[in-house]
């Protein structure tokens, strides 16, 4: 018998996908473990590796991430960039941004990443595009406010990905 859906996916399917997920190297696995152990709102490993594949598939050179948290998804995205690529990531909480900076150093991508601190809804309005890839993972209530500014800043043929838009079914 199949179990209960967790959001929009059955738990068994979610566990199966999670078991297949690429978790990256030891440094990235350590950040994932930190996120799980400390209860940070990070994407799952399957989502992180999928974001990486999406960014690589469009040959992204400039990525915007709204919602840095501890730098887990940012590491996946930054690792998809070429050597001269840039990830601009926005984190509301300065203490959390400091943790993210340390993790981005540990995972070897800090030289490609610019961490901005403040309200994503305000910061995104001041950012100059175009971006090849935008990953929106801020507080879900803030999604409507950043949608239009993100659309205006993603290049033609680029990707705008928003996390958990179907989480409530």
């Amino acid at each position: 018998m199949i179990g209960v859906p967790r959001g929009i996916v059955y738990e068994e399917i979610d566990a199966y996908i999670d078991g297949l997920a690429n978790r990256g190297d030891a440094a990235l696995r350590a950040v994932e473990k930190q996120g799980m152990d400390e209860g940070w709102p990070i994407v799952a490993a399957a989502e992180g590796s999928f974001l990486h594949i999406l960014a690589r598939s469009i040959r992204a050179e400039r990525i915007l991430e709204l919602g840095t948290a501890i730098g887990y998804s940012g590491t996946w995205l930054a690792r998809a960039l070429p050597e001269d690529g840039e990830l601009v990531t926005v984190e509301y909480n300065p203490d959390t941004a400091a943790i993210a900076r340390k993790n981005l150093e540990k995972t070897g991508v800090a030289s490609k990443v610019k961490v901005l601190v403040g309200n994503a809804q305000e910061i995104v309005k001041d950012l100059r595009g175009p971006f090849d890839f935008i990953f929106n993972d801020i507080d879900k209530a803030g999604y409507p406010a950043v949608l239009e500014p993100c659309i205006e800043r993603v290049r033609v043929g680029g990707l705008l990905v928003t996390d958990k838009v179907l989480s409530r079914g």
Side-chain angles (χ1 to χ4, degrees):
M1 181 172 166
I2 295 181
V4 179
R6 184 188 70 118
I8 62 168
V9 178
Y10 286 99
E11 290 178 6
E12 294 85 355
I13 294 171
D14 194 41
Y16 175 74
I17 292 170
D18 186 62
L20 296 175
N22 175 359
R23 293 199 138 64
D25 61 8
L28 189 55
R29 288 192 308 271
V31 177
E32 179 189 17
K33 183 177 181 334
Q34 176 187 11
M36 299 306 216
D37 291 350
E38 298 175 9
W40 289 100
I42 62 171
V43 300
E47 292 166 298
S49 60
F50 185 58
L51 290 170
H52 178 90
I53 291 166
L54 288 174
R56 296 262 327 232
S57 72
I58 63 164
R59 294 186 170 107
E61 295 180 9
R62 192 160 185 246
I63 298 174
L64 172 62
E65 176 186 44
L66 302 178
T68 312
I70 61 170
Y72 182 70
S73 56
T75 296
W76 280 108
L77 291 167
R79 287 182 172 181
L81 291 166
E83 274 310 307
D84 60 344
E86 176 187 44
L87 168 65
V88 177
T89 184
V90 181
E91 173 53 46
Y92 180 78
N93 184 305
D95 295 331
T96 304
I99 295 168
R101 284 186 183 101
K102 287 178 188 171
N103 284 333
L104 295 164
E105 282 287 340
K106 287 181 200 174
T107 58
V109 297
S111 65
K112 297 180 186 181
V113 182
K114 181 178 183 180
V115 180
L116 303 177
V117 178
N119 184 316
Q121 296 171 14
E122 297 303 318
I123 290 175
V124 73
K125 293 175 187 173
D126 294 327
L127 292 175
R128 295 190 58 153
F131 290 93
D132 302 302
F133 188 103
I134 299 176
F135 178 49
N136 178 20
D137 192 18
I138 60 172
D139 177 49
K140 309 317 167 232
Y143 282 1
V146 299
L147 180 60
E148 195 60 38
C150 285
I151 291 170
E152 292 169 359
R153 284 157 183 80
V154 70
R155 74 164 163 84
V156 173
L159 288 176
L160 169 56
V161 176
T162 299
D163 192 45
K164 294 184 181 155
V165 294
L166 300 177
S167 65
R168 304 254 190 261

